[in-house]
Structures are given as structure tokens and as C-alpha cells.
Amino acid sequence: MLVKITAPPPSHPTVRYHIVHRTTYTYESPVTVGHYMARLEPRHMPFQECPWHEVTIRPSPMQRAERADSFGNTCVYFEIEGSHQKLEVIARSLVEVARSEPISPAATPAWETVRDACRADRATPASMAGELVFASQLIPVGSVFADYARPSFPANRPILEAVCDLNRRINEDFIFDPAATDVATPVEQVLKKRRGVCQDFAQVMIACLRSLGLPVRYVSGYLETLPPPGQVKLVGADASHAWVSVYCGEAVGWMDADPTNNVLPSDRHITVAWGRDFSDVSPLRGVTIGAGEQRLEVAVDVMPQSE
């Protein structure tokens, strides 16, 4: 078990969450060796702190090591040797999230200004953000995505205002349908079908914005869900969630947007990792010798804590 304790969070009014993320792989035949990489620790940011985090792995790994990847996400590598037919990884975190300061979308710079600044041939915050303009392993760029985005981006429109409009349109145009896609469904097909899950909506939005020359990150984390009125919140009802973060210029910085829910995330979204696409932030992935068919079960609880 790995336990991490960090400095206290900032003094902003916060919401405190206890998060349990349990991943279980059951293998058809015994696995003799497994090498895995986990990204399960919530990030430390100006409006989010993770004062306590632990990861329990069963069976116990022979080796484990921790590092930060190129995006600053905490990665835990572990190796399991010896015959086993089940792997269980349980991440527990205490996270404190502050409500972000409201920003007027109309007060942000024109989207073309941000796009052009990201093309600078000298090192600036904008040109560094510009590294996330290009196509990635899972997210292409192209005219089909730019054409879908363009009605939200008329000339000189403030960038956050345009992003909010695109966020709304995806939310209205696409149907949430877990049976429509899987992790391998191409983004072009999602755009054509207009249905999928949060990962699909996020990657469509990223493809649209990058196709206009704007830098965007894929964000993975958790969303605290509320039960229907009069009903008790169900344990295990929460899940991993995905949204996007758009660079809006030096004065504003990165702004998150959640097209699945048509909101700008605040204190109900908990950020774990970000990267170019889902392949950079997968909570748990690995390579095994043996296994055959395998069954994956994931359960997430996001539980608000009283003061």
C-alpha cells in the first residue's frame, strides 16, 4: 500500500471529497507476469489539493516506482510476478476543491488572437500551449471537425464565449449512449453518429478546437453526481469522467469545459490527469503473460465529506 500526505490545501472555501476507485481484472487463465501503469492520484492545482492518497494493490507487487509523466500526472508503475487470476487496485483519496473565480466569457480575447499567439516562433506561455494544437494518437484534425465548430467561432468572437457555445451544441446535438461506442471507436464515427459517452464528447470537442488551431487538453477525473430529488445517493453510482481544457490566452490561462453536461467545471469536478487524449491518461493499463479472456470491473465512489 502506498500512502501520500501533502501540505494543507489553500484557504479558499472548499468542498471535501473522499474518493474510492476500485479496479478489478479477472483473468480466464493464470497470469505469470504483469507490468502495469496507474494514473489515479488527483492533481495538485490552484483550486484543488489532495492532502491524502493511497493505492492498495492485490496481489502485492514485486516492484513499484512512482514518477511524474511529461504532463505532470503522477504515475505508479508496478510489476507482479507469480501465478494469479485476479488483480485488484484500490485508490483512495481525500480531495479538497475550491469553487473557481467566475470569468466573463465576453471579456476573454478574440479566438483568432489566441490562435495566432500560439503560433509564435519564440518561447511564450502561448507557444508552449501550442504543442496541444496537433493531432494525437486518438484525436485527428481535419475540415470535418472545423466545419462543425465554425458556427460557434465567427470572426473576433471572444474565445470563452465561443467555447461555451460549442460546449452547448455538442451537449444538444449528441445523445449519451453507452452502447454506441467503445474505447476504440474513431472520433470521426462519433461525430457522424452523434452519440457516445463522456470520453467521446470530449474527444470530438478537442478535434473541433484543434482543427481551428486552438490548444486543448483531454482531462480525466471524477464528477460528484447528485441523486434524483427525494432519493438517497447510491454508493458506487459515480464513475470516471472526461472533459476538456482550452487555452484562452495568457491573462485567462486554461479553462475547463464539460460538453457531456454543458457546464464549465467547478467544485463538483475532480481532476486526476490530463494529456493529448485518453491514451495519455488511462487510469490503469498493462501488459501480461497469460490471461486469455479477461473481465474488467470498475467502481467509483465520490463522497462529499462534512466539515
Side-chain angles (χ1 to χ4, degrees), residues 126-207:
S127 65
M128 293 174 66
E131 296 176 357
L132 286 162
V133 165
F134 305 102
S136 59
Q137 179 179 342
L138 299 180
I139 304 178
V141 297
S143 60
V144 65
F145 299 109
D147 289 345
Y148 179 81
R150 199 159 281 120
S152 298
F153 287 80
N156 299 316
R157 190 175 195 181
I159 184 168
L160 188 54
E161 192 175 277
V163 167
C164 288
D165 190 61
L166 179 62
N167 202 50
R168 175 193 58 79
R169 288 175 51 219
I170 292 175
N171 175 264
E172 293 177 354
D173 292 349
F174 287 66
I175 298 171
F176 189 88
D177 182 359
T181 60
D182 58 33
V183 294
T185 302
V187 181
E188 299 96 330
Q189 189 173 335
V190 177
L191 180 63
K192 184 176 181 180
K193 285 185 171 183
R194 304 288 172 95
R195 57 179 62 228
V197 294
C198 59
Q199 173 184 319
D200 302 308
F201 298 173
Q203 295 197 144
V204 165
M205 189 166 181
I206 292 170

Side-chain angles (χ1 to χ4, degrees), residues 22-182:
R22 184 187 304 267
T23 306
T24 305
Y25 278 99
T26 304
Y27 305 112
E28 179 185 38
S29 57
V31 171
T32 55
V33 177
H35 298 260
Y36 302 91
M37 184 72 77
R39 290 177 174 85
L40 294 164
E41 180 179 343
R43 290 188 67 116
H44 300 267
M45 304 184 299
F47 292 97
Q48 175 180 295
E49 279 296 336
C50 180
W52 179 81
H53 175 75
E54 70 174 22
V55 178
T56 302
I57 303 168
R58 303 188 183 101
S60 297
M62 296 290 292
Q63 298 184 49
R64 67 187 300 165
E66 182 179 309
R67 66 174 178 85
D69 66 15
S70 58
F71 298 102
N73 306 311
T74 298
C75 305
V76 176
Y77 165 82
F78 60 96
E79 178 180 331
I80 297 176
E81 298 181 3
S83 180
H84 61 283
Q85 286 187 253
K86 183 177 181 180
L87 169 68
E88 187 175 48
V89 179
I90 306 171
R92 296 181 175 88
S93 306
L94 178 66
V95 184
E96 297 185 350
V97 185
R99 183 175 293 275
S100 56
E101 298 290 337
I103 293 176
S104 171
T108 57
W111 71 270
E112 301 98 328
T113 301
V114 176
R115 177 200 62 194
D116 294 346
C118 293
R119 297 173 175 173
D121 56 4
R122 57 190 178 86
T124 65
S127 65
M128 293 174 66
E131 296 176 357
L132 286 162
V133 165
F134 305 102
S136 59
Q137 179 179 342
L138 299 180
I139 304 178
V141 297
S143 60
V144 65
F145 299 109
D147 289 345
Y148 179 81
R150 199 159 281 120
S152 298
F153 287 80
N156 299 316
R157 190 175 195 181
I159 184 168
L160 188 54
E161 192 175 277
V163 167
C164 288
D165 190 61
L166 179 62
N167 202 50
R168 175 193 58 79
R169 288 175 51 219
I170 292 175
N171 175 264
E172 293 177 354
D173 292 349
F174 287 66
I175 298 171
F176 189 88
D177 182 359
T181 60
D182 58 33

